[in-house]
Amino acid sequence: MVAVHTHRHLQQQEYYFDTTNTTTTTIQEITMLETHYHYEVMLQTGEWSHFLIYVCLAWALMLPRALGGGIFYSFRPAQPIQLSLRYIASLILAISVLYAGAYYRVLGQLDSLDIAFVLMVFILIIAPPIRRRIVRFSFSWTFYANHVKLVEQTNSVEEQSMIALMTIYNEDPEKLARRAKSIRQCLEAAPGDFVFMAIVDGYGNQTNNYGDTLPIAVEYCDVVMTSTAQKKRANLEALGLQAYEMGLIQTGEEIIHLIDSDTTPQDDLVAIELNRPFTDPAVGGVTTAQYIDNPKTFWQHVMQIFETIRNFGSQAFMSLFGSVGCLPGRWYAVRAQYFTREMLHDLNTHSFSWFGYARHISKAGDDRHITEAVLKAGGKTMLAPDAVVYTDTPPHFTEMRKMVTRWARSSNGYTFRAGWLFKPAHWPTAFVYWGNIVLAFGTIYIATFYLIYQIVMGNRDILLFEALVYLVLSMMLTMTFRFIPVWIRNWRYLGYMVFMGFVGLFMQAVQIWGMITHVHMIGKWATRGADENVSDEAPEFKVHYMREGLTT
C-alpha cells in the first residue's frame, strides 16, 4: 500500500492504492476532479486558489452566452410538433426529474441550490413548446425585455432592391461555377430586384493552376470587374464605388449582400432569410449561419465544432441584443445607408499602429470594419439562423493556424480601439470580446505559470499525471454545456471532447499571439497565396463585362 497526502493546508488524508491494478479505493480519489479539489481547499482554508478563480471566471464569461443564445433561439418561429417517441420520452423524463426533486426536498435531502439545479434540468429537457413558453415568459420580466425592443424574427419578407458583391480569388473554376450558380438562384428566389456584381482579385497575378475564373464570373454575374490588387478591402471599395457610379445605390434602403467566392448556400432561401430582418428599419446588418463544407480532416472537424458553438453561443447571444460585433465575411448583408463612399474609403485605408508609431495598413478584418460602421451609426446587427451557408477551411494544421491567427489579429486589434463598445447599447458585445481577451490570458496563465509553480514548489503531493488527468476532466466538464448544440447536430463529435481541451488551449495561445502581432502583421493575409506576387500599391480596376441593359 502507498500513502499519498493532499494539499499542505488540509488535514492529512490518506489515499490507498491497490498495487495489483494501480487504482484507488477511496471515494475522495474518485470524486477529486481538479475543480472539486480546489473547492474543498477553499472551504477548509478560506483561501481561493488561482485555479478556482479561473474556473469561476470561465463560467461567468461563458454561461451567459449559452443562456442568451438559448433565449434567442426560443424566440425563433416554432417548428410543428409531431407526436414521436422522443417527444413523449422528454415529457416523462422531465416530470420524473421534477417529481424526484420535490420528493427529496420534502425529505430534507436537497437544499435550495439543488432544487434550482433540478428546475434547470426540467426546463432543458421538457418538450420544446413548453420550454419555449417558459423561457419567453421568464425573459419578458427582465430589465432588458422591458427597456429594449426585441428584433422581430417572424417578419414577412418584403421586396428589396439587392446589390450582391462577390470577391473572387484563387478558385477552382468548377467549384466557382457551382457556387455562383447557387448564389444567383438564391438572389432570384428573393422578392425584389437584384444586380450580381463580382471582381476577380489579383487578376493576372494568381499563382494557382486552376485556370481563368473570368468566364465563370461572366456567365453568372451581371457586372464583372478585374483587379490587380490581392487585397479584399481595395476590391470591395472598387465594387462599391462602381455600384454608386451605375446608380444602383440611391435611396440608402437597398440591401448590400457581401459574399466570398468559396461560399456555398444550403438552399435557395439564404437571400430570403437574410432580407427578412430588414423589414425592421432599425436593423442595419444580418449574417448567415456558417458551417464547414464537407469536413474530412481532423482540423476541419475542429473548425466545424467551433463554428457550431459560435452560431449557438456568442453570435446568438449578441443577436438577442441586436449587436453582433462581426458579421462574418462568407455571406452577410447590410443596409446601403451604412455602405457609404466614406465608409468604403476608410475600409481601404484603415491601419493599425502602436500609439501612432509603426503604422501598417490593414489587409484582414474587412467584415469587422463594415460591421462596426453599422453599429457605430446606430444600426442593429443580428444572425439569421435559417440562412445557412457552407465554406471551405484549410485541411491541415499549418494553414488553419495561419487563418485563426489572422482572425485573432483583426478582431483584437479592433476591440482594443473600440471605445464605443462601452456604450450601454453595446455592452453585450463588449462582454463577449473583452471576455475572450481576459479568458485567453487566464487560460494561458493557468496552463503554464500556475501549473509550473505548483510542480516546482510542491504545493500538492498527488502525482503529476493525476493532476493533469483531473485538469483535463475539469476542462471537459467546463466545456460540456457549450457542446450541447454540437452533439445535437452530430453525436459523433462526442469523441472529440478528449482533444478539445488541448485545442482550446491552443486557440487561446493564438489569441495572445494575435494581440502581440496585430499591428505589424495586419497587412498579411497569410493563406491561399494571397501575399505572393502582390501589386497592391497602384492597383488597376477594370469593368470587364456588363450585362446588356445596365449602364454606368
Side-chain angles (χ1 to χ4, degrees):
M1 300 299 218
V2 181
V4 180
H5 299 283
T6 62
H7 194 282
R8 64 183 181 182
H9 291 298
L10 296 177
Q11 182 180 2
Q12 287 188 337
Q13 297 177 350
E14 291 187 339
Y15 287 80
Y16 294 99
F17 291 82
D18 183 344
T19 56
T20 62
N21 60 17
T22 66
T23 59
T24 63
T25 57
T26 63
I27 296 297
Q28 292 97 326
E29 167 76 18
I30 296 172
T31 61
M32 195 173 170
L33 291 176
E34 188 72 9
T35 306
H36 177 75
Y37 173 88
H38 287 269
Y39 179 68
E40 291 295 327
V41 172
M42 187 271 292
L43 289 180
Q44 297 193 36
T45 68
E47 298 179 4
W48 282 68
S49 72
H50 291 190
F51 184 86
L52 190 58
I53 294 173
Y54 166 75
V55 170
C56 292
L57 174 66
W59 277 89
L61 292 174
M62 293 301 173
L63 187 58
R65 303 186 193 189
L67 295 176
I71 294 171
F72 172 77
Y73 279 97
S74 293
F75 281 90
R76 299 288 299 156
Q79 300 296 322
I81 298 299
Q82 297 180 351
L83 190 61
S84 63
L85 180 62
R86 179 179 177 183
Y87 179 85
I88 296 173
S90 68
L91 279 174
I92 295 174
L93 181 60
I95 294 171
S96 300
V97 168
L98 191 62
Y99 174 79
Y103 176 76
Y104 285 107
R105 176 60 175 169
V106 170
L107 294 180
Q109 297 182 17
L110 294 178
D111 57 23
S112 299
L113 186 61
D114 295 326
I115 289 296
F117 177 76
V118 169
L119 289 175
M120 183 180 71
V121 173
F122 172 77
I123 292 174
L124 287 175
I125 64 178
I126 197 67
I130 301 175
R131 180 177 66 227
R132 189 181 298 270
R133 284 170 173 77
I134 291 174
V135 171
R136 287 181 176 181
F137 176 79
S138 302
F139 188 69
S140 66
W141 287 87
T142 64
F143 173 85
Y144 167 74
N146 285 291
H147 290 80
V148 181
K149 181 180 179 294
L150 282 170
V151 176
E152 181 60 52
Q153 300 187 51
T154 57
N155 286 332
S156 58
V157 181
E158 297 180 352
E159 288 192 0
Q160 304 281 4
S161 291
M162 297 169 285
I163 300 102
L165 309 180
M166 181 170 70
T167 53
I168 301 173
Y169 176 72
N170 216 6
E171 296 292 347
D172 180 339
E174 183 178 342
K175 290 183 179 180
L176 177 62
R178 184 173 64 252
R179 289 163 174 166
K181 179 180 179 181
S182 298
I183 291 168
R184 187 171 187 89
Q185 288 173 344
C186 289
L187 296 170
E188 290 173 342
D193 58 88
F194 72 92
V195 175
F196 189 7
M197 305 177 66
I199 187 167
V200 179
D201 298 9
Y203 187 69
N205 303 331
Q206 296 183 16
T207 58
N208 62 43
N209 297 315
Y210 288 142
D212 197 352
T213 55
L214 203 55
I216 306 298
V218 169
E219 182 177 356
Y220 294 104
C221 300
D222 303 311
V223 178
V224 178
M225 299 179 65
T226 59
S227 166
T228 58
Q230 292 174 200
K231 181 184 178 185
K232 188 178 177 183
R233 289 172 178 257
N235 295 320
L236 282 176
E237 181 188 23
L239 277 175
L241 293 179
Q242 182 65 30
Y244 272 104
E245 184 178 337
M246 296 173 61
L248 300 177
I249 302 175
Q250 295 182 348
T251 67
E253 291 302 311
E254 297 85 0
I255 306 302
I256 312 296
H257 287 251
L258 297 111
I259 309 168
D260 283 349
S261 56
D262 60 353
T263 300
T264 303
Q266 176 178 266
D267 49 40
D268 293 346
L269 301 177
V270 171
I272 293 175
E273 295 303 327
L274 273 180
N275 288 349
R276 187 184 302 276
F278 285 106
T279 304
D280 185 340
V283 172
V286 183
T287 188
T288 50
Q290 303 173 3
Y291 299 96
I292 306 305
D293 190 10
N294 191 26
K296 294 179 180 179
T297 69
F298 172 81
W299 291 107
Q300 287 176 327
H301 284 290
V302 165
M303 294 309 299
Q304 183 79 295
I305 290 172
F306 279 111
E307 291 290 355
T308 304
I309 290 174
R310 181 169 67 165
N311 288 330
F312 287 88
S314 59
Q315 291 288 77
F317 170 74
M318 291 186 286
S319 292
L320 184 63
F321 300 89
S323 186
V324 172
C326 182
L327 304 169
R330 285 76 173 257
W331 190 341
Y332 64 103
V334 298
R335 202 180 294 273
Q337 70 183 77
Y338 306 104
F339 199 75
T340 63
R341 290 182 175 88
E342 293 75 19
M343 188 280 295
L344 290 168
H345 176 75
D346 291 341
L347 174 70
N348 191 23
T349 58
H350 179 268
S351 63
F352 284 148
S353 69
W354 294 111
F355 305 102
Y357 296 97
R359 186 174 299 278
H360 288 77
I361 297 294
S362 305
K363 196 167 188 176
D366 52 277
D367 46 5
R368 177 68 179 267
H369 188 100
I370 294 173
T371 305
E372 286 202 357
V374 175
L375 291 173
K376 287 192 288 187
K380 291 186 176 182
T381 55
M382 64 179 295
L383 168 73
D386 295 329
V388 178
V389 299
Y390 297 91
T391 186
D392 292 338
T393 195
H396 304 301
F397 172 76
T398 301
E399 289 295 297
M400 188 278 296
R401 174 186 58 80
K402 293 177 180 178
M403 180 182 71
V404 296
T405 303
R406 180 179 73 236
W407 293 352
R409 287 178 183 134
S410 61
S411 177
N412 292 314
Y414 274 101
T415 299
F416 290 150
R417 293 158 178 81
W420 57 272
L421 276 179
F422 295 98
K423 294 180 179 179
H426 306 301
W427 283 349
T429 312
F431 174 80
V432 169
Y433 287 146
W434 280 102
N436 289 342
I437 292 171
V438 171
L439 191 61
F441 281 103
T443 301
I444 296 303
Y445 166 73
I446 289 296
T448 55
F449 301 106
Y450 175 79
L451 186 60
I452 293 172
Y453 175 81
Q454 292 287 305
I455 295 171
V456 173
M457 299 304 295
N459 271 19
R460 58 190 303 154
D461 298 321
I462 66 173
L463 299 176
L464 173 61
F465 174 75
E466 292 178 82
L468 291 174
V469 170
Y470 299 145
L471 184 63
V472 171
L473 288 174
S474 292
M475 292 172 68
M476 290 170 62
L477 289 175
T478 303
M479 293 189 297
T480 295
F481 70 93
R482 300 181 65 200
F483 272 72
I484 292 174
V486 178
W487 297 332
I488 291 175
R489 291 178 61 89
N490 189 341
W491 62 269
R492 293 180 180 84
Y493 283 138
L494 275 168
Y496 280 70
M497 280 296 291
V498 178
F499 308 101
M500 291 309 294
F502 299 104
V503 173
L505 180 62
F506 161 73
M507 291 295 188
Q508 302 293 23
V510 167
Q511 281 278 332
I512 293 179
W513 181 245
M515 297 178 209
I516 296 171
T517 62
H518 82 273
V519 170
H520 72 278
M521 292 296 290
I522 196 63
K524 300 290 184 181
W525 194 261
T527 59
R528 302 182 69 193
D531 300 316
E532 300 174 10
N533 301 322
V534 175
S535 58
D536 293 347
E537 293 185 2
E540 295 181 4
F541 305 103
K542 297 179 181 178
V543 177
H544 175 81
Y545 166 78
M546 185 177 297
R547 177 174 53 82
E548 186 177 351
L550 293 176
T551 58
T552 56

